[in-house]
Amino acid sequence: MRSQWVSDDVMGHILAALMPANRLAVIVSLTTGLRISDVLNMRTCKLAERMSIVELKTGKRRTVRLSAGLVDELLAIAGKIYVFEGRCDPRKHRTRQAVYKDIKRAARAYRVAANLTPHSCRKMYAVKQYKRTCSLSRVRELLNHSDEAVTMIYALADALTAGN
């Protein structure tokens, strides 16, 4: 089953129910369009308002921007090595499964019918950027996609979800 897009209202409820560190990770994903694995892999020493990231899945380099307030929040919870430390070992980062389970718990609590996962944040980002720019090529560039057809699935996720 694929992750689905949800409205900002629904995501607001989910964010309110998440554990603080997971909430911040999801906010970073919503703000930047990064996959949750890339967010969790962020290193404290490289944290800045503008930073370059090499995506784990594709190996592609990408520059992302964070607000000063978000950087301050991240620094407040950051570990020595990773911004999002692992539960048992501070030398490892938090797992994406930990964020996934927290989102699923929150979705059950609010009885959200959609298949909400951390990847839903990437779809929400794509929809927001498409509505802002009306440019599929710009969204493709922001998501670092090679194929415009894949970008279309993301950018039109709200319309595809409405059909269900």
Side-chain angles (χ1 to χ4, degrees):
M1 184 179 253
R2 291 185 174 187
S3 65
Q4 292 179 311
W5 172 89
V6 293
S7 69
D8 288 340
D9 291 340
V10 171
M11 185 52 84
H13 291 301
I14 299 301
L15 286 171
L18 293 178
M19 299 301 289
N22 292 337
R23 180 185 62 79
L24 266 178
V26 169
I27 288 171
V28 171
S29 184
L30 286 167
T31 305
T32 62
L34 287 171
R35 291 174 185 88
I36 200 69
S37 56
D38 295 324
V39 171
L40 298 174
N41 195 44
M42 290 173 25
R43 293 182 179 264
T44 304
C45 62
K46 295 187 178 185
L47 190 59
E49 289 180 34
R50 180 184 165 141
M51 57 189 171
S52 182
I53 293 197
V54 176
E55 295 178 337
L56 293 172
K57 181 178 178 183
T58 63
K60 295 177 184 176
R61 184 165 295 282
R62 180 169 166 207
T63 301
V64 295
R65 288 189 167 95
L66 300 172
S67 69
L70 186 53
V71 171
D72 290 343
E73 282 187 70
L74 291 168
L75 285 171
I77 64 126
K80 287 185 178 181
I81 301 170
Y82 292 101
V83 174
F84 300 97
E85 281 186 338
R87 183 172 53 98
C88 300
D89 188 353
R91 294 170 296 165
K92 295 181 180 178
H93 60 74
R94 180 179 302 253
T95 65
R96 53 193 184 93
Q97 289 84 1
V99 179
Y100 174 87
K101 286 179 181 179
D102 201 18
I103 288 176
K104 287 299 195 181
R105 179 195 53 77
R108 274 192 308 275
Y110 283 103
R111 295 188 176 121
V112 175
N115 184 32
L116 188 61
T117 69
H119 204 69
S120 299
C121 300
R122 195 161 156 86
K123 290 185 176 183
M124 291 178 69
Y125 174 81
V127 168
K128 189 174 287 184
Q129 294 304 317
Y130 183 65
K131 287 182 177 181
R132 187 177 68 81
T133 64
C134 294
S135 170
L136 202 55
S137 61
R138 177 67 181 141
V139 175
R140 183 182 65 75
E141 184 181 294
L142 289 169
L143 293 177
N144 235 351
H145 281 161
S146 301
D147 188 4
E148 200 165 283
V150 174
T151 304
M152 193 177 296
I153 292 170
Y154 283 73
L156 301 174
D158 60 336
L160 294 171
T161 301
N164 291 341

